[in-house]
Amino acid sequence: MPVIILIACFLTAFATSALADESEDFLHEQLVHEQLLHEQLVLQQQLQQQLHEELAQVRQPEHTAEAPPPSYPAAADAPVPLTARQQESRPPRFVLQPVTPLADATPVIPPPERQVKQEAPAPAAPAPVAQQKPVAEAALPQPTGPLATRQGLDVGLQLSRYAYHEAAGPMPLMNNKGYKLGAEATYTEIMDDGEWFMRGEGRFAYGVVDYASNGTGSMQDNKDYTWELRGLAGKDIALNDFNSLTPYTGYGVRYLYNDSRGITDTGFTGYRRNSVYQYIPLGLTHRLKLMDNQSRLATTLEYDYFLVGHQRSIFGDIVPGAPTLKNTQRDADGGVKGSILFETGDWSVGPWFNYWHIGRSNLQCIPGNGCGWNEPENKTTEFGLKFVKKIF
């Protein structure tokens, strides 16, 4: 009986021990399983939070600094090592599955540095050549201010040195020299386009000259005057902001009167004569605007193409009743004019000159005195100073 009781106690103790071991193993496995589930949940939440942060950075491309790598929390303390028996009886290890993004999460966008930089669109092709206006057809800028021809009436005064010479080939025949005082008037009308203009000019100069000749002696204080009328047309052309050119042309008439009546110091008698020149002026004016933007320097050079000249010599002053000799002049080099004027809005001043070279005229006959009478080759030079005032 005692043996049976001892055996029963031993079996009871052994069963109790085995049951305790099984219970302990079961509780330990439950704790490990719950710990793994907790770690998985924490890791999944952290991954989702990291994903949202990366998406937020992608939406702000201006932040070029590279985000630091995600930091993950340290793993929880390692579980208590299991015995071989416990490992055999533990359930299979939980396998982490890929984290599925939330339904409302924004799709993943590649980081900005990995995006391919889009090149700027190519510039538009130029317009066809046919649609572009040729440079040759582009209108030149219209002169304004100090560079433009001014409309209105201008009057001026002239003081000049006058010299007239006659020659027969290389041999001088006579000359008239003296000073003249003159007046001029100019009216300019600007056309509607603002570039073309029409101009009328008039000039008169009077003085006394001294006659001198190697063959007939000399005579003092002879009256001498000149008048000149011209009609011109021209156009202003602007070169740049400081320079312009104004070519012009037209028609001109010049009249000269000389009164040499009297007796020379060698006993020869003088006479009156007059001449009329018709010519075509071909001129060019260059204007330079000065730094004050109100004044300019105007330089003019002109060639006068000689058309015809008529000379009248009144020989009745020598012998009463003698005829008046009339000669025609066609052979001539023509004339040259020039000036350099400092001009403001109201007045201008500067030097000027005139030059003529006329060839010998045709021959005329005088009854009872032969047919060898002509007007010799002659040159006229004038240079001086003038002052011009704008009236309106």
Side-chain angles (χ1 to χ4, degrees), residues 179-330:
Y179 291 94
K180 289 186 177 182
L181 182 64
E184 67 174 49
T186 301
Y187 180 77
T188 303
E189 180 71 25
I190 307 298
M191 300 293 98
D192 293 339
D193 61 2
E195 299 180 4
W196 289 90
F197 65 88
M198 303 289 290
R199 173 179 294 166
E201 295 181 353
R203 169 178 173 258
F204 177 83
Y206 175 86
V208 292
V209 296
D210 297 333
Y211 171 87
S213 171
N214 293 331
T216 58
S218 60
M219 186 185 305
Q220 308 295 318
D221 300 333
N222 299 317
K223 297 178 182 180
D224 194 286
Y225 64 82
T226 303
W227 59 257
E228 196 166 359
L229 296 176
R230 293 148 53 97
L232 305 175
K235 175 181 173 65
D236 289 335
I237 302 174
L239 302 180
N240 50 48
D241 292 339
F242 289 90
N243 295 271
S244 69
L245 291 177
T246 303
Y248 63 88
T249 187
Y251 174 78
V253 177
R254 175 183 180 270
Y255 175 84
L256 169 69
Y257 173 83
N258 175 262
D259 187 353
S260 295
R261 289 177 295 182
I263 305 299
T264 66
D265 57 357
T266 58
F268 285 85
T269 302
Y271 58 92
R272 292 170 294 172
R273 62 185 183 87
N274 58 66
S275 60
V276 178
Y277 298 162
Q278 300 180 54
Y279 63 94
I280 296 177
L282 302 170
L284 182 67
T285 297
H286 171 260
R287 295 186 180 95
L288 172 65
K289 183 170 68 174
L290 302 181
M291 298 306 296
D292 59 2
N293 290 326
Q294 299 296 326
S295 57
R296 65 189 183 186
L297 192 65
T299 302
T300 300
L301 187 62
E302 174 184 308
Y303 171 72
D304 295 328
Y305 178 77
F306 187 79
L307 296 176
V308 65
H310 300 284
Q311 185 79 23
R312 296 175 69 251
S313 301
I314 305 175
F315 287 160
D317 294 334
I318 301 174
V319 177
T324 296
L325 184 64
K326 299 179 181 179
N327 299 99
T328 300
Q329 299 163 307
R330 296 188 182 275

Side-chain angles (χ1 to χ4, degrees), residues 331-355:
D331 181 18
D333 292 336
V336 178
K337 290 181 173 65
S339 66
I340 302 177
L341 301 179
F342 174 77
E343 300 180 342
T344 68
D346 296 326
W347 55 270
S348 59
V349 62
W352 63 278
F353 75 92
N354 289 348
Y355 172 80

Side-chain angles (χ1 to χ4, degrees), residues 125-135 137:
V129 177
Q131 297 179 2
Q132 298 178 354
K133 189 173 183 179
V135 176
E137 297 180 2

